[in-house]
Amino acid sequence: YARSVDSRHPSGNKLADLCDVVIDNGAPLGDAAVEIPGFPQKVGPLSSVAGCAIVNALVAEVVAELVKRGVEPPVFMSANLDGGDEYNARLLAENRERIHYLD
Protein backbone atom coordinates (compact mmCIF):
# COMPACT_ATOMS: atom_id res chain seq x y z
CA TYR A 1 0.00 0.00 0.00
CA ALA A 2 2.58 2.57 1.11
CA ARG A 3 4.70 2.03 -1.97
CA SER A 4 1.74 2.59 -4.31
CA VAL A 5 0.95 6.15 -3.15
CA ASP A 6 2.97 9.37 -3.16
CA SER A 7 4.25 10.97 0.02
CA ARG A 8 2.35 14.05 1.16
CA HIS A 9 5.32 15.32 3.18
CA PRO A 10 7.58 18.04 1.66
CA SER A 11 10.63 15.78 2.18
CA GLY A 12 9.09 13.05 0.04
CA ASN A 13 9.56 10.58 2.90
CA LYS A 14 6.93 8.24 4.21
CA LEU A 15 6.81 6.99 7.78
CA ALA A 16 8.13 3.58 6.70
CA ASP A 17 11.23 5.31 5.25
CA LEU A 18 12.15 6.58 8.73
CA CYS A 19 11.44 3.50 10.85
CA ASP A 20 13.75 0.72 11.95
CA VAL A 21 10.89 -1.79 12.08
CA VAL A 22 7.83 -1.68 9.85
CA ILE A 23 4.86 -4.02 10.21
CA ASP A 24 2.64 -4.41 7.18
CA ASN A 25 -0.99 -4.84 8.22
CA GLY A 26 -1.89 -6.20 4.79
CA ALA A 27 -4.77 -3.79 4.23
CA PRO A 28 -5.70 -3.22 0.58
CA LEU A 29 -5.20 0.08 -1.22
CA GLY A 30 -7.80 2.46 0.17
CA ASP A 31 -8.12 0.41 3.38
CA ALA A 32 -11.64 -0.82 2.59
CA ALA A 33 -12.92 -4.15 1.38
CA VAL A 34 -16.66 -4.02 0.68
CA GLU A 35 -18.07 -2.75 -2.59
CA ILE A 36 -21.64 -1.42 -2.40
CA PRO A 37 -23.48 -1.40 -5.74
CA GLY A 38 -24.29 2.19 -6.70
CA PHE A 39 -21.77 3.68 -4.26
CA PRO A 40 -18.29 4.67 -5.55
CA GLN A 41 -16.31 4.28 -2.32
CA LYS A 42 -15.55 0.91 -0.76
CA VAL A 43 -16.42 0.60 2.93
CA GLY A 44 -15.38 -1.75 5.70
CA PRO A 45 -11.85 -0.69 6.59
CA LEU A 46 -9.50 -3.52 7.45
CA SER A 47 -6.54 -1.71 9.03
CA SER A 48 -8.30 -1.26 12.38
CA VAL A 49 -9.06 -4.98 12.68
CA ALA A 50 -5.60 -5.97 11.49
CA GLY A 51 -3.99 -3.34 13.74
CA CYS A 52 -5.76 -4.72 16.81
CA ALA A 53 -4.67 -8.25 15.95
CA ILE A 54 -1.07 -7.14 15.39
CA VAL A 55 -0.88 -5.16 18.63
CA ASN A 56 -2.34 -8.03 20.65
CA ALA A 57 0.07 -10.50 19.03
CA LEU A 58 2.97 -8.19 19.93
CA VAL A 59 1.74 -7.95 23.54
CA ALA A 60 1.56 -11.74 23.78
CA GLU A 61 5.09 -12.13 22.40
CA VAL A 62 6.53 -9.46 24.73
CA VAL A 63 4.83 -11.02 27.77
CA ALA A 64 6.13 -14.47 26.76
CA GLU A 65 9.67 -13.09 26.37
CA LEU A 66 9.54 -11.27 29.73
CA VAL A 67 8.27 -14.39 31.52
CA LYS A 68 11.03 -16.44 29.86
CA ARG A 69 13.53 -13.94 31.33
CA GLY A 70 12.00 -14.23 34.79
CA VAL A 71 10.20 -10.88 34.73
CA GLU A 72 6.57 -10.64 35.82
CA PRO A 73 5.01 -8.11 33.43
CA PRO A 74 2.42 -5.73 34.92
CA VAL A 75 -0.54 -6.92 32.85
CA PHE A 76 -4.07 -6.20 34.02
CA MET A 77 -6.39 -9.09 34.75
CA SER A 78 -9.96 -9.04 33.51
CA ALA A 79 -12.12 -7.33 36.11
CA ASN A 80 -14.75 -9.95 35.27
CA LEU A 81 -12.65 -12.64 36.97
CA ASP A 82 -12.74 -13.25 40.70
CA GLY A 83 -9.93 -11.22 42.24
CA GLY A 84 -9.49 -9.10 39.12
CA ASP A 85 -10.31 -5.78 40.76
CA GLU A 86 -7.94 -6.43 43.67
CA TYR A 87 -5.14 -7.60 41.36
CA ASN A 88 -5.52 -4.53 39.14
CA ALA A 89 -5.64 -2.19 42.15
CA ARG A 90 -2.33 -3.68 43.33
CA LEU A 91 -0.76 -3.15 39.89
CA LEU A 92 -1.98 0.44 39.81
CA ALA A 93 -0.58 1.12 43.28
CA GLU A 94 2.78 -0.48 42.43
CA ASN A 95 3.09 1.49 39.19
CA ARG A 96 1.45 4.77 40.23
CA GLU A 97 4.55 6.88 39.52
CA ARG A 98 4.65 5.54 35.95
CA ILE A 99 0.98 6.32 35.18
CA HIS A 100 0.78 10.08 34.68
CA TYR A 101 -3.01 10.35 34.74
CA LEU A 102 -3.23 8.94 38.28
CA ASP A 103 -1.61 12.03 39.77
Side-chain angles (χ1 to χ4, degrees), residues 48-86:
S48 53
V49 173
C52 286
I54 291 167
V55 166
N56 283 306
L58 286 170
V59 168
E61 289 297 320
V62 168
V63 169
E65 183 63 29
L66 288 171
V67 169
K68 187 169 93 176
R69 294 179 185 195
V71 176
E72 181 183 344
V75 177
F76 287 118
M77 177 185 292
S78 171
N80 296 317
L81 295 174
D82 290 341
D85 286 335
E86 295 80 13

Side-chain angles (χ1 to χ4, degrees), residues 16-71:
D17 299 328
L18 306 172
C19 295
D20 293 326
V21 176
V22 177
I23 299 173
D24 183 355
N25 67 15
L29 185 63
D31 188 28
V34 180
E35 292 185 38
I36 306 295
F39 188 68
Q41 175 63 37
K42 289 183 181 179
V43 298
L46 298 175
S47 65
S48 53
V49 173
C52 286
I54 291 167
V55 166
N56 283 306
L58 286 170
V59 168
E61 289 297 320
V62 168
V63 169
E65 183 63 29
L66 288 171
V67 169
K68 187 169 93 176
R69 294 179 185 195
V71 176

